[in-house]
Amino acid sequence: MDREALGKFLTRHRESLQPADVGVSVGPRRRAAGLRREEVAQLAGMSTDYYTRMEQGRSTRPSTQILGSLARALRLTPDERDYLFRVSGLDAPDRHSGGDYVAPALLRVMDRLSDTPALIISVLGETLVQNEPARALFGDAARYTGLERSDVYRWFIHPETERRRYPVSDHDRQSRALVASLRAALGAMGPGSRAGELVRELTGRSPEFVALWDQYEVHRRFADHKVLIHPELGEIEVDCQVLFTEDESQALLVLTAPPRSEAASKLELLAVLGNQQFATRR
């Protein structure tokens, strides 16, 4: 681990970004050149103290999860992301393994979506990035680790909590869609991939999953009209639109509702209040 090189690299990229580049709103009297350390830390979901120590060359070796989050926060290119890992003393992730890297171009689109729920997910249903309305609607995905990060895994292993956000009448359709999407991912990634690991784990733990898996349905469907249930606001009827990356390994999901509808009013409330108020009531 080259702590000096890591610190200089982080500092240079932080100072080269402007708040508007990453969707951060600022006041009229801002004097800082580029992003502040606390802004990068917030974007990466880490403590300001630890990020500061990284820049100052005083940190312990960061985890792959921290480095992946920093690569997204600083809008690094694939080459820059690889350098970040190597200078931290870790092997650069396989670019074709369906990892956590998100293309800066997709993040720029995401940055402009502050008034409606939007999230970027992997081919395995892992939420990589979510805005505040999406966090208020679905909860903070950063709390999940390992296989728990996949919505397919949580849907079948923890149905009592994961399925609360969908009406009971929609559970069967959602189950089939998730399994069909996972089979598509397995075909693209192979049995030795994380998709294969998910299939093996679910096959051993969920008879419901096995029954659906044996139907050999294969498709990926995100553009949809659905009803979601928020613990405070109740049912919200939304349209789900999707924007894929070129290799279709990741997708930006955007949830909207018709103007002046009851659902639109509820989405506006999510955008205004964010996750703070609701989190204290759960």
Side-chain angles (χ1 to χ4, degrees), residues 44-97:
M46 59 189 295
S47 73
T48 301
D49 177 67
Y50 185 72
Y51 177 77
T52 299
R53 286 189 280 118
M54 289 181 72
E55 279 202 3
Q56 294 175 345
R58 299 185 294 111
S59 71
T60 57
R61 177 178 292 173
S63 67
T64 57
Q65 184 174 357
I66 285 291
L67 294 177
S69 297
L70 279 173
R72 291 195 299 271
L74 294 171
R75 306 306 195 251
L76 301 184
T77 66
D79 288 339
E80 291 167 343
R81 188 275 309 263
D82 290 353
Y83 177 83
L84 174 65
F85 272 77
R86 289 171 180 145
V87 80
S88 299
L90 298 173
D91 292 333
D94 183 353
R95 297 191 188 187
H96 305 289
S97 65

Side-chain angles (χ1 to χ4, degrees), residues 89-121:
L90 298 173
D91 292 333
D94 183 353
R95 297 191 188 187
H96 305 289
S97 65
D100 292 351
Y101 177 76
V102 180
L106 196 60
L107 287 169
R108 286 195 293 270
V109 178
M110 176 84 169
D111 291 338
R112 286 157 175 77
L113 300 171
S114 58
D115 60 348
T116 196
L119 56 158
I120 297 174
I121 68 171

Side-chain angles (χ1 to χ4, degrees), residues 2-16:
D2 188 337
R3 290 178 174 81
E4 182 179 0
L6 173 62
K8 290 181 178 179
F9 179 80
L10 292 174
T11 302
R12 172 67 181 83
H13 283 274
R14 173 176 61 81
E15 292 178 347
S16 69

Side-chain angles (χ1 to χ4, degrees), residues 175-242:
S175 295
R176 291 179 59 187
L178 289 171
V179 172
S181 180
L182 179 56
R183 186 172 283 282
L186 181 67
M189 301 173 69
S193 65
R194 289 185 298 124
E197 183 183 3
L198 266 174
V199 172
R200 290 188 291 273
E201 184 71 15
L202 289 170
T203 298
R205 298 186 60 182
S206 173
E208 179 188 6
F209 173 83
V210 172
L212 292 171
W213 187 254
D214 287 344
Q215 295 183 22
Y216 281 85
E217 293 186 19
V218 185
H219 62 77
R220 298 184 67 192
R221 183 185 66 193
F222 293 110
D224 203 357
H225 183 81
K226 63 179 66 179
V227 175
L228 298 172
I229 301 175
H230 187 274
E232 296 288 337
L233 301 180
E235 292 189 353
I236 307 177
E237 195 170 350
V238 297
D239 293 311
C240 178
Q241 300 299 321
V242 61

